[in-house]
Amino acid sequence: MDYIINGIIEALKLLVSFNRELYEIIFLSVFVSSTATLISSIIFIPLGLYLGIKNFKGKKLFSRLLYTLMSIPSVVVGLLVAILLSRRGPLGFLELLYTPTAMIIAQSLLVTPLSLGLSYNLSKNRGKKIERVGITLGARGVKIIFLLIRELKIDLFINLVTVFSRAISEVGAVMIVGGNIKNRTRVITTSIAMFNSMGNYSTAIALGLVLLAISFIINSLIYSYHQEDY
Amino acid sequence: MEIKIKNLKKYYNDKLVLKIEELHIEKRKITGIIGPNGAGKTTLLRIISGLDEDFSGRITYDNSTLNNNIYDNMTLVFQKPYLFRRSVYDNIAYPLKIRKKNKAEIDKRVSEMLNRLQIYNLKNEKAHLLSGGESQKVALARALIFKPKLVMLDEPTSNIDPESIKTIEKEIKNYNSNEKATIIIITHNLEQAKRLCDNTIYLENGRVNRINGFL
């Protein structure tokens, strides 16, 4: 029990002493995951909203495939991206493997089905009503999508946070394509796994606390935004 | 806007719910659609408004089929209106904003509309938190603000207070005479139909049973 308490105390000391390595890991994690979230959301949230309100052939099959992809294991995505980016792979000439860019690509691919699926589902359930009102007032095409984004902004914001949470908490993809290289591609989740296996519990706990703090800050933001709207 | 319907058939899961051989809705008149529940009144309105395109038959609007220009000149107010999650002012201004009207004109027209429907005091309220009668007034204001030539109203006064009914009926009448618009209104209230409508259509089991002369 003592080593857990000592670990927490050491972790707090590391955090307040602004340990450089620790903060580099934190900043890289936030940068990689927020970029991946942004990339996947800019295109796929509007697309999901559009597909949700449209009737098209094979929509049921599309829904099932999409929901399956939403739970794709991160290691599978990591493996796929690693194969593509490896020296002998089709995109090997880009020399991106074991770089933050590769990590962003892997996380973007991992969370894209989630971005698409969550907005698609939201629009499928609540978008039709909004679309109908928009049409009766003269809105068409892109104006309907903007109307949906504005009307569903709270839910979309929550979806965005869910997507970011999935990105920042995954370990498989970034471990495979990033390689957990010190000062280069080491992020919170890969570090926790590594420090734990090394028996360095204090740093692992410190990073775990940071993940919890990020989650708390994001949830507080959602809560205040939610309160403001109602 | 004059509407002519010919050989209209609408099925729901192989069941024929609407069959109208011929129907003419006169230009610049208020036409009431009356009938029991399940008669096909709302379905007819949804088809005329273009929200339901899954039917057979022909509908013309001033001798044209449905196109973007006609869409731009018609509106439908639902029985349970959906108001956007923004202020009353922003709800009513929305159709003008998407038509790229300038701010001064939007301000002027929205203020006039708020006054006409006696809801100026609600201008800055959150629309989705209003009561039933207030919501209907905002929905009507939002629908009329861009001066459509065809206005469809699906039971606009059901379950609201008598004062609000009076205000809404007055606005419908005024709009019809000032803008020379065609108005189609679904109502269960025969007294209201008498007060408002120039023509009436009685629908029963998806068929036009009678036109005029039964009130």
Side-chain angles (χ1 to χ4, degrees), chain A:
Chain A
M1 191 64 191
D2 279 354
Y3 78 93
I4 297 175
I5 296 164
N6 287 338
I8 293 171
I9 294 166
E10 282 300 308
L12 292 172
K13 278 183 187 166
L14 275 173
L15 284 171
V16 294
S17 67
F18 292 100
N19 179 285
R20 192 186 163 138
E21 187 188 350
L22 191 72
Y23 278 91
E24 273 180 7
I25 291 169
I26 294 166
F27 285 130
L28 184 64
S29 292
V30 173
F31 172 71
V32 167
S33 299
S34 48
T35 309
T37 303
L38 204 68
I39 290 170
S40 72
S41 302
I42 280 178
I43 303 167
F44 292 97
I45 284 181
L47 184 64
L49 291 174
Y50 175 77
L51 293 174
I53 54 170
K54 282 293 147 205
N55 290 324
F56 55 89
K57 222 175 177 179
K59 191 169 181 176
K60 280 184 183 166
L61 179 66
F62 173 79
S63 302
R64 256 176 279 160
L65 284 173
L66 186 58
Y67 296 150
T68 306
L69 286 173
M70 281 167 77
S71 53
I72 191 168
S74 57
V75 281
V76 174
V77 176
L79 184 65
L80 181 75
V81 175
I83 291 169
L84 290 172
L85 297 179
S86 68
R87 206 167 279 178
R88 286 185 297 163
L91 301 173
F93 66 94
L94 295 171
E95 296 184 351
L96 289 175
L97 199 59
Y98 305 126
T99 64
T101 309
M103 294 156 75
I104 291 171
I105 293 170
Q107 284 201 347
S108 299
L109 284 176
L110 177 72
V111 298
T112 288
L114 201 59
S115 272
L116 185 65
L118 290 173
S119 56
Y120 169 79
N121 201 39
L122 180 65
S123 170
K124 198 155 69 89
N125 292 332
R126 288 175 49 202
K128 279 271 176 199
K129 201 176 193 178
I130 300 165
E131 183 201 19
R132 277 199 295 269
V133 175
I135 289 172
T136 62
L137 298 174
R140 292 283 174 288
V142 180
K143 286 174 187 164
I144 293 284
I145 301 297
F146 280 126
L147 180 63
L148 286 170
I149 291 173
R150 182 148 182 195
E151 284 304 295
L152 301 171
K153 64 183 177 188
I154 298 283
D155 304 81
L156 287 174
F157 185 58
I158 293 168
N159 291 354
L160 209 64
V161 171
T162 308
V163 169
F164 177 76
S165 303
R166 166 92 160 124
I168 203 161
S169 61
E170 72 86 18
V171 61
V174 279
M175 183 71 99
I176 293 175
V177 302
N180 193 32
I181 302 166
K182 191 177 179 184
N183 300 328
R184 202 155 166 235
T185 58
R186 190 163 287 172
V187 288
I188 296 177
T189 50
T190 56
S191 307
I192 290 176
M194 185 195 68
F195 288 128
N196 178 56
S197 63
M198 287 164 60
N200 184 353
Y201 297 117
S202 55
T203 315
I205 291 171
L207 289 166
L209 288 176
V210 170
L211 265 184
L212 276 174
I214 291 172
S215 169
F216 178 77
I217 292 165
I218 289 171
N219 278 302
S220 304
L221 273 175
I222 294 177
Y223 185 76
S224 57
Y225 193 44
H226 202 261
Q227 289 295 103
E228 206 176 277
D229 195 63
Y230 281 90

Side-chain angles (χ1 to χ4, degrees), chain A residues 135-138, chain B residues 1 28 69-77 95-96 99 109 113 116 139-153 171 175-176 178-183:
Chain A
I135 289 172
T136 62
L137 298 174
Chain B
M1 197 180 286
R28 299 172 185 172
N69 188 37
I70 294 165
Y71 265 125
D72 259 357
N73 274 297
M74 68 177 180
T75 193
L76 166 63
V77 178
L96 300 178
R99 285 171 176 79
R109 280 167 67 173
M113 191 57 86
R116 265 160 44 193
L140 185 66
R142 186 177 64 180
L144 302 183
I145 192 88
F146 65 100
K147 301 184 178 173
K149 287 292 168 204
L150 171 62
V151 178
M152 289 162 277
L153 308 164
E171 182 54 31
Y175 186 80
N176 170 249
N178 295 340
E179 300 299 329
K180 311 279 180 250
T182 305
I183 296 178

Side-chain angles (χ1 to χ4, degrees), chain B residues 23 40 50 66 68 116 119 129 137 152-153 157 170-171 189 195 208:
Chain B
L23 185 63
L66 197 55
N68 279 347
R116 265 160 44 193
I119 47 172
L129 302 179
K137 286 183 194 171
M152 289 162 277
L153 308 164
T157 57
K170 189 179 160 200
E171 182 54 31
N189 185 336
R195 287 194 298 270
V208 175

Side-chain angles (χ1 to χ4, degrees), chain B residues 161-176:
Chain B
D161 61 285
E163 264 315 299
S164 296
I165 292 175
K166 233 164 121 181
T167 312
I168 287 173
E169 284 184 0
K170 189 179 160 200
E171 182 54 31
I172 293 170
K173 274 273 187 198
N174 284 344
Y175 186 80
N176 170 249

